[in-house]
Amino acid sequence: MMKKPEWLEKEQLYKILFESDTPRGRAFDMVLMVVISLSILISFIETIPSLAHTFRLLLEISEYLLTFFFTLEYIARVYCSPRPKDYVLSFFGVIDLLSTLPPYLSYFLPNARYMILFRTFRFIRIFRIFKLFSLINEGYMLMNSLKKSLNKISVYFLFVLILVTCLGTLMYMVESGHPDTKFTDLATSVYWAIVTMTTVGYGDITPVTPIGRLLSAFIMLLGYTIIAVPTGIVTANIIDESREKPKDGRCPRCGEEVRDNDRYCSHCGEKL
């Protein structure tokens, strides 16, 4: 009886697919990043009619190969996972499944005219880019920092919403009496305040009075001063995250050693 290759053993396969501290694991992660990037590139090419028509056969072959690769990867992850149900219901497990199913759904089309509707599901492949965060522990640190910053950013967003409403109302009071004004109502004025404060500046609505232009200049400068606040909030939380250290330098779940600035175990994914 032929002996099963070592890398097909569940334990070895788990180390290759879920861990990046081994040579095989790092090699697989590199291959996975290349394949994900290729899949995303193909998705963009398919939306360009001239390129999609020129490379139609190549794109179709690539689609079959990529579908086979991601299907095999998903099955292998479920097979070697110590808790398959936890993986299937996890964030990345759902992403893996959703990004693999669309090509198979196209085979159940009862009528060719509905092909366009089902074709849109194929672009769920874009979500595979989220898997790139699972390859580095710093990705988890960033997501955790954003989660901790959510309440502060929500309060900041509410403040900005109140501010643009007040400034839009003030601009409406200044500009509404002029015959050539484009500030015809409060909603339009608030829209202008949002565009101006975020420094987007479409130019579709502009003040015509001297006071309106002065107020506009003030809002522009104000936008530069407050637009960096959310970045500062997240940065502060990232610094706090990086300073926190595991209690004993080991994962409480698998007992493996972890780095001082890791927030998730690179071996089993446990939160530290």
Side-chain angles (χ1 to χ4, degrees):
M1 184 176 180
M2 184 177 295
K3 185 179 179 181
K4 184 187 295 185
E6 181 184 353
W7 64 272
L8 283 179
E9 297 290 339
K10 279 191 175 183
E11 184 178 350
Q12 296 298 324
L13 192 58
Y14 177 85
K15 291 181 179 180
I16 294 175
L17 296 178
F18 287 95
E19 298 181 4
S20 57
D21 294 339
T22 62
R24 289 181 178 179
R26 285 192 292 268
F28 177 78
D29 286 346
M30 292 300 297
V31 172
L32 184 61
M33 292 179 67
V34 171
V35 175
I36 291 174
S37 302
L38 180 61
S39 176
I40 296 171
L41 178 62
I42 290 175
S43 296
F44 278 96
I45 293 177
E46 287 178 341
T47 62
I48 305 175
S50 58
L51 294 178
H53 179 73
T54 304
F55 302 101
R56 179 179 178 181
L57 180 60
L58 180 60
L59 291 175
E60 290 180 355
I61 295 175
S62 300
E63 177 68 21
Y64 287 125
L65 293 176
L66 290 172
T67 300
F68 175 77
F69 175 85
F70 286 113
T71 302
L72 189 63
E73 183 216 3
Y74 180 77
I75 295 174
R77 288 182 182 273
V78 175
Y79 166 73
C80 70
S81 178
R83 289 177 293 276
K85 184 178 179 181
D86 292 345
Y87 165 70
V88 171
L89 297 179
S90 67
F91 173 77
F92 291 113
V94 173
I95 292 297
D96 289 343
L97 180 61
L98 290 180
S99 59
T100 304
L101 282 179
Y104 297 105
L105 295 178
S106 61
Y107 290 105
F108 296 94
L109 289 174
N111 196 313
R113 62 180 178 175
Y114 296 111
M115 179 67 72
I116 296 178
L117 176 63
F118 276 83
R119 186 178 175 82
T120 58
F121 286 98
R122 300 175 65 193
F123 293 100
I124 297 178
R125 291 177 303 172
I126 294 293
F127 292 115
R128 290 196 187 112
I129 197 171
F130 286 110
K131 291 185 62 180
L132 298 179
F133 283 101
S134 67
L135 306 180
I136 51 176
N137 202 283
E138 286 73 13
Y140 288 107
M141 181 190 299
L142 176 60
M143 288 190 289
N144 203 33
S145 299
L146 290 173
K147 183 179 179 180
K148 287 186 175 182
S149 305
L150 185 60
N151 290 336
K152 295 178 182 178
I153 293 178
S154 298
V155 173
Y156 169 79
F157 177 78
L158 179 61
F159 166 75
V160 173
L161 185 62
I162 295 173
L163 183 61
V164 294
T165 302
C166 294
L167 293 174
T169 301
L170 183 60
M171 181 60 78
Y172 175 73
M173 294 170 60
V174 172
E175 291 284 317
S176 60
H178 198 279
D180 297 328
T181 186
K182 293 183 179 180
F183 294 85
T184 56
D185 53 75
L186 280 176
T188 301
S189 301
V190 172
Y191 159 77
W192 170 86
I194 294 173
V195 171
T196 303
M197 181 167 289
T198 55
T199 69
V200 175
Y202 290 126
D204 53 342
I205 303 173
T206 55
V208 293
T209 64
I211 298 179
R213 291 175 179 174
L214 182 63
L215 179 60
S216 177
F218 170 75
I219 295 176
M220 292 176 192
L221 295 175
L222 181 63
Y224 276 109
T225 61
I226 68 174
I227 200 170
V229 172
T231 305
I233 294 174
V234 176
T235 302
N237 279 289
I238 291 177
I239 294 174
D240 292 340
E241 282 285 310
S242 63
R243 287 177 178 174
E244 295 181 10
K245 299 180 180 180
K247 295 180 180 179
D248 57 358
R250 290 185 176 275
C251 173
R253 179 178 175 183
C254 65
E256 297 289 342
E257 292 185 3
V258 293
R259 296 175 297 182
D260 290 344
N261 62 340
D262 283 355
R263 301 303 302 137
Y264 290 81
C265 177
S266 59
H267 301 278
C268 66
E270 178 73 7
K271 184 177 181 181
L272 302 176

